Amino acid sequence: MGQGPSDSRPVRAGRYAAIDIGTVTCRMLVADIDGQGRLRELDREYEITNLGEGVDATGMLDPRAMERVAAAVGRYRRVLDSLSPAGSPPIQVTAMATSAARDAGNADEFAALLARLGVELAVIPGQKEAALSFKGASSDFPGERLFVVDIGGGSTEVVAGPAGGEPVRSRSFNIGCRRVTERFFAADPPSAAELDGARDWVLQEMGPFFDELRGSGFSADRLVAVAGTATTVVSVRERMEVYDSARVHGAQVSRAELEGVHDLLRSVPLARRERIAGLDPGRAPVIVAGMVILRGVLDLARADSFTVSESDILHGMILDAATA
């Protein structure tokens, strides 16, 4: 994973950490970068913190959600301390928050909470999020033209362009698995009418972007999907009792396989969904909505399969920091 930055800017070798605080998850990647921009992972951390719970309706971050993230970040700080040998240069830490914090009226309060833990938070716009996701995901597919889709809890980023180059077009949509769940799903499991309503909304909101892209003449060699919805498709398909990143990264998923996983997840109530092998129980409340979005993207991209990548925004953040 991680072939390094493709631009001509000099790379600063060193140890870097990226913390991505999303609407559903809070994740950290620690990696070493050498002078050629090659990335070697040292540690990955992951926790479902649900920062965006209720934000779509209230426009505010819940204090309990902020505390959940702070607890996770506090644990990550201890991991970083363990990876900082005495006398070595400090690890350069980049922390970014995405959709939930962008939408919240009290994001400054959240940033102040993390500052007390020694973490400087940047709340990044959707276009920056899209660019960093593309930088990370495209590093593994040199020479290919790509669609990259990053389905989050509050937003979905779609980026088109040549691997390692500048995106041709990108868009961040306020469509995410938590947002869709809270707006459309009341029944358990979601009813056919609720699923249809969510799907229609996704296609309506995203359709013009794909129409414009086709009108520009761009065509992709591959659709790459990053983040928890896409990785869950593979882990459920493979019935993983223990998540195996090596089996997930680079996995190919056909449209028929995606439909099979979607049918399995949407057909059972939450209490049963939480027990499905390969599905993190914490993701169970929002995974059906994630599947609706992913299926919609495949339809709009006219793709019959996708490739799952674990080189995502975390990799993009580290590569960006090393060449800034």
Side-chain angles (χ1 to χ4, degrees):
M1 276 188 254
Q3 300 302 308
S6 61
D7 59 37
S8 58
R9 291 177 295 172
V11 177
R12 295 192 308 276
R15 184 161 293 181
Y16 294 82
I19 300 174
D20 169 38
I21 302 171
T23 301
V24 174
T25 60
C26 177
R27 304 179 302 141
M28 181 175 74
L29 174 66
V30 186
D32 285 337
I33 295 256
D34 67 15
Q36 284 70 52
R38 291 185 293 258
L39 183 150
R40 182 173 68 91
E41 293 188 12
L42 299 176
D43 184 80
R44 277 179 176 263
E45 302 291 333
Y46 161 91
E47 192 166 328
I48 290 181
T49 48
N50 285 317
L51 177 64
E53 197 166 40
V55 169
D56 190 53
T58 67
M60 302 291 282
L61 298 171
D62 187 295
R64 293 166 297 181
M66 290 191 285
E67 289 295 342
R68 288 195 297 268
V69 175
V73 171
R75 181 169 67 82
Y76 296 172
R77 290 292 312 185
R78 293 189 289 275
V79 171
L80 290 172
D81 289 343
S82 73
L83 293 171
S84 303
S88 63
I91 298 175
Q92 181 173 327
V93 180
T94 303
M96 294 182 176
T98 53
S99 177
R102 281 198 297 267
D103 293 348
N106 56 344
D108 289 347
E109 179 185 340
F110 179 54
L113 176 63
L114 296 189
R116 292 196 287 273
L117 297 172
V119 172
E120 182 178 347
L121 181 68
V123 179
I124 60 172
Q127 289 299 104
K128 176 71 170 179
E129 184 178 0
L132 291 172
S133 291
F134 187 77
K135 182 186 281 285
S138 70
S139 63
D140 285 325
F141 304 100
E144 296 190 35
R145 293 168 301 170
L146 305 175
F147 281 131
V148 173
V149 56
D150 181 350
I151 299 171
S155 67
T156 293
E157 284 66 48
V158 183
V159 192
E166 291 299 317
V168 172
R169 273 184 172 77
S170 66
R171 189 74 54 83
S172 179
F173 298 92
N174 285 328
I175 298 170
C177 55
R178 174 159 292 283
R179 197 185 299 270
V180 168
T181 300
E182 293 182 359
R183 284 195 183 188
F184 289 93
F185 298 162
D188 183 23
S191 69
E194 290 171 343
L195 290 165
D196 288 345
R199 178 179 172 79
D200 289 347
W201 184 59
V202 169
L203 296 177
Q204 177 182 331
E205 293 294 311
M206 291 187 171
F209 171 79
F210 284 90
D211 291 341
E212 292 168 11
L213 197 55
R214 267 188 291 276
S216 74
F218 180 86
S219 63
D221 303 312
R222 185 190 301 265
L223 174 62
V224 180
V226 301
T229 293
T231 59
T232 295
V233 175
V234 179
S235 58
V236 170
R237 182 188 70 180
E238 302 297 323
R239 298 179 176 84
M240 292 183 187
E241 295 292 349
V242 177
Y243 187 82
D244 184 349
S245 176
R247 292 169 63 193
V248 172
H249 181 68
Q252 299 282 330
V253 179
S254 69
R255 178 58 188 254
E257 290 170 327
L258 174 61
E259 294 292 348
V261 174
H262 172 254
D263 288 345
L264 171 65
L265 296 173
R266 71 174 175 83
S267 63
V268 297
L270 178 60
R272 287 177 57 192
R273 200 180 311 136
E274 290 173 334
R275 299 197 297 271
I276 291 175
L279 175 60
D280 184 330
R283 191 176 291 280
V286 298
I287 190 60
V288 175
M291 296 288 157
V292 170
I293 299 167
L294 184 52
R295 291 170 71 236
V297 169
L298 257 69
D299 283 346
L300 293 167
R302 299 178 182 172
D304 57 11
S305 67
F306 62 95
T307 302
V308 179
S309 176
E310 290 219 329
S311 297
D312 55 20
I313 191 172
L314 289 170
H315 290 74
M317 289 164 65
I318 286 178
L319 293 172
D320 194 58
T323 54

